Amino acid sequence: MNKPAILALEDGSVFHGTAIGADGQTSGEVVFNTAMTGYQEILTDPSYSRQIVTLTYPHIGNTGINPEDIESSSIAAAGLVIRDLPLVASNFRSTQSLSDYLASQNVVGIADIDTRRLTRILRDKGAQNGAILAGSEAEGDDAVARALEAARAFPGLKGMDLAKVVSCSEAYEWNEGEWQLGEGYVDAAAGERPFHVVAYDYGVKFNILRMLASRGCKLTVVPAQTPAAEVLAMKPDGVFLSNGPGDPEPCDYAIEAIREILTTQVPVFGICLGHQLLALASGATTVKMNHGHHGANHPVQDLDSGHVMITSQNHGFAADETSLPDTLRATHRSLFDGTLQGIERTDCPAFSFQGHPEASPGPRDVAPLFDRFIDMMQSRR
């Protein structure tokens, strides 16, 4: 039997639909993602912590779920909003339906609502705090009132430090390479690994680590709050700053560590939250965006070559280009809204990119940035 579900936004908007996944209640910042595929990778991206994801593509769940296409050990998103859940999931790798996957991880979702109307609200008014009530929680005359109360009680992501919440609790080695058809994930430990990279886990996606491992990096992943002295004692050839959720400004532990590492001339490469943290550590500022960038079709221009790349994006904060000090220069810019997408230090080997060059899901136009990081480590040697 179909179970009821309610989505409420802080502005008073209410949507009635069908529950998918677990029964219960969730709250968070409601954002929209324009990717047509990759719902499994999106759900497991730690950058979506405390966010309810609306997928604008109407049919979600067609290919089911498989145990390989995950970007972290569990679903990170606070909830899922879709237009239509197909009755049949079909793919040779599928082992589970999307609804069962959500339920198995106690994640709440809602289907059968007008996601076009919802997306217009989020586009025009900005990302909204919201709540989903599903199953028995959505029943009763006071259900809408309870949903609105839960939506308005969410404090918002501004000022929220989530990197240390989603990070690993202790350091570990990563040996898995990229996926290949018929073989699965390659064992990168079997090949030559000339570079030792220490990766800060602010909410790292697995495919970032896979792409580094496939390029000859021996990876040591460390918790977000690891002091710079501990990282430098490992004598890394390079330091990687990962993606992650929340507001970068409260992450003073990360900013301090990055600032210290930059003085050593060890090559540094940052992605997403790591990009914002590199900017803050270099003296720039960050801002909360209206509705952020979430999708796999965002055009970004390389300011040096003029080339335009189609990129995957997932961020609600951005480094403010007007605040860049003399030691930073802009390297990439969004062609959607002109926001800063890439920076590099002019006084030390450090650079970063706002989007997700590892894709998963999305185009791989920006993957050469990983090669640039390898070249920097080789040059330093």
Side-chain angles (χ1 to χ4, degrees):
M1 292 180 61
N2 288 340
K3 298 180 180 180
I6 296 171
L7 167 66
L9 305 181
E10 62 178 309
D11 71 348
S13 301
V14 176
F15 298 80
H16 294 269
T18 303
I20 57 173
D23 289 357
Q25 175 180 314
T26 189
S27 61
E29 181 183 76
V30 184
V31 299
F32 66 89
N33 185 304
T34 56
M36 295 176 65
T37 61
Y39 52 83
Q40 186 171 340
E41 294 94 324
I42 290 167
L43 284 169
T44 54
D45 180 352
S47 295
Y48 277 120
S49 177
R50 303 306 303 273
Q51 290 184 309
I52 297 172
V53 183
T54 303
L55 296 176
T56 61
Y57 188 71
H59 302 292
I60 301 298
N62 305 58
T63 55
I65 298 293
N66 69 76
E68 292 183 315
D69 292 345
I70 56 173
E71 290 302 320
S72 65
S73 58
S74 62
I75 293 177
L80 178 65
V81 181
I82 65 174
R83 173 65 186 92
D84 179 66
L85 179 68
L87 295 176
V88 177
S90 178
N91 184 271
F92 75 100
R93 298 165 68 216
S94 177
T95 60
Q96 192 178 26
S97 72
L98 173 58
S99 184
D100 288 346
Y101 180 56
L102 293 171
S104 70
Q105 300 206 23
N106 199 33
V107 175
V108 174
I110 181 172
D112 299 325
I113 73 163
D114 186 351
T115 50
R116 294 170 300 178
R117 174 191 164 215
L118 174 58
T119 301
R120 284 195 297 269
I121 293 172
L122 300 178
R123 179 197 64 192
D124 297 339
K125 295 184 178 181
Q128 294 270 313
N129 295 333
I132 300 174
L133 274 57
S136 59
E137 289 283 339
E139 297 174 349
D141 296 338
D142 64 339
V144 170
R146 286 187 284 111
L148 287 169
E149 181 181 6
R152 290 164 178 163
F154 183 72
L157 293 184
K158 179 67 175 175
M160 191 176 288
D161 177 3
L162 295 175
K164 63 185 180 184
V165 176
V166 302
S167 181
C168 58
S169 57
E170 57 185 27
Y172 63 92
E173 301 296 321
W174 179 273
N175 296 312
E176 189 175 84
E178 294 178 78
W179 187 87
Q180 295 184 11
L181 182 64
E183 299 180 28
Y185 292 110
V186 176
D187 181 8
E192 185 179 354
R193 297 190 293 173
F195 305 106
H196 180 209
V197 172
V198 176
Y200 270 101
D201 177 13
Y202 305 128
V204 69
K205 290 175 66 179
F206 287 165
N207 211 50
I208 290 174
L209 301 177
R210 293 172 186 135
M211 292 186 79
L212 287 169
S214 293
R215 285 165 170 77
C217 295
K218 175 186 175 184
L219 288 164
T220 303
V221 185
V222 298
Q225 294 177 284
T226 304
E230 290 186 26
V231 170
L232 295 172
M234 299 178 192
K235 301 187 183 304
D237 295 296
V239 175
F240 176 76
L241 314 174
S242 84
N243 65 293
D247 189 341
E249 286 190 2
C251 303
D252 52 354
Y253 51 88
I255 297 168
E256 180 181 346
I258 295 167
R259 190 176 290 136
E260 184 175 341
I261 291 168
L262 290 172
T263 65
T264 67
Q265 297 295 310
V266 172
V268 174
F269 175 30
I271 287 175
C272 190
L273 182 66
H275 159 79
Q276 299 158 15
L277 291 172
L278 176 62
L280 289 169
S282 302
T285 60
T286 56
V287 295
K288 180 77 167 69
M289 302 174 72
N290 179 56
H291 54 260
H293 292 168
H294 310 278
N297 59 346
H298 287 240
V300 170
Q301 185 173 39
D302 183 321
L303 300 180
D304 293 330
S305 68
H307 293 165
V308 176
M309 303 165 289
I310 304 302
T311 69
S312 286
Q313 302 276 328
N314 179 16
H315 62 105
F317 293 82
D320 183 358
E321 185 171 353
T322 64
S323 71
L324 298 188
D326 293 339
T327 54
L328 279 182
R329 76 177 191 94
T331 58
H332 297 81
R333 190 174 294 127
S334 168
L335 295 185
F336 270 170
D337 58 10
T339 53
L340 185 64
Q341 282 280 322
I343 55 174
E344 72 173 7
R345 288 283 295 244
T346 58
D347 59 341
C348 59
F351 73 104
S352 60
F353 186 72
Q354 178 61 81
H356 284 222
E358 84 293 343
S360 290
R364 297 203 171 188
D365 294 22
V366 201
L369 288 184
F370 290 101
D371 300 320
R372 178 182 174 186
F373 185 43
I374 300 299
D375 290 343
M376 287 173 62
M377 291 187 286
Q378 183 66 54
S379 296
R380 185 170 185 266
R381 281 191 173 182

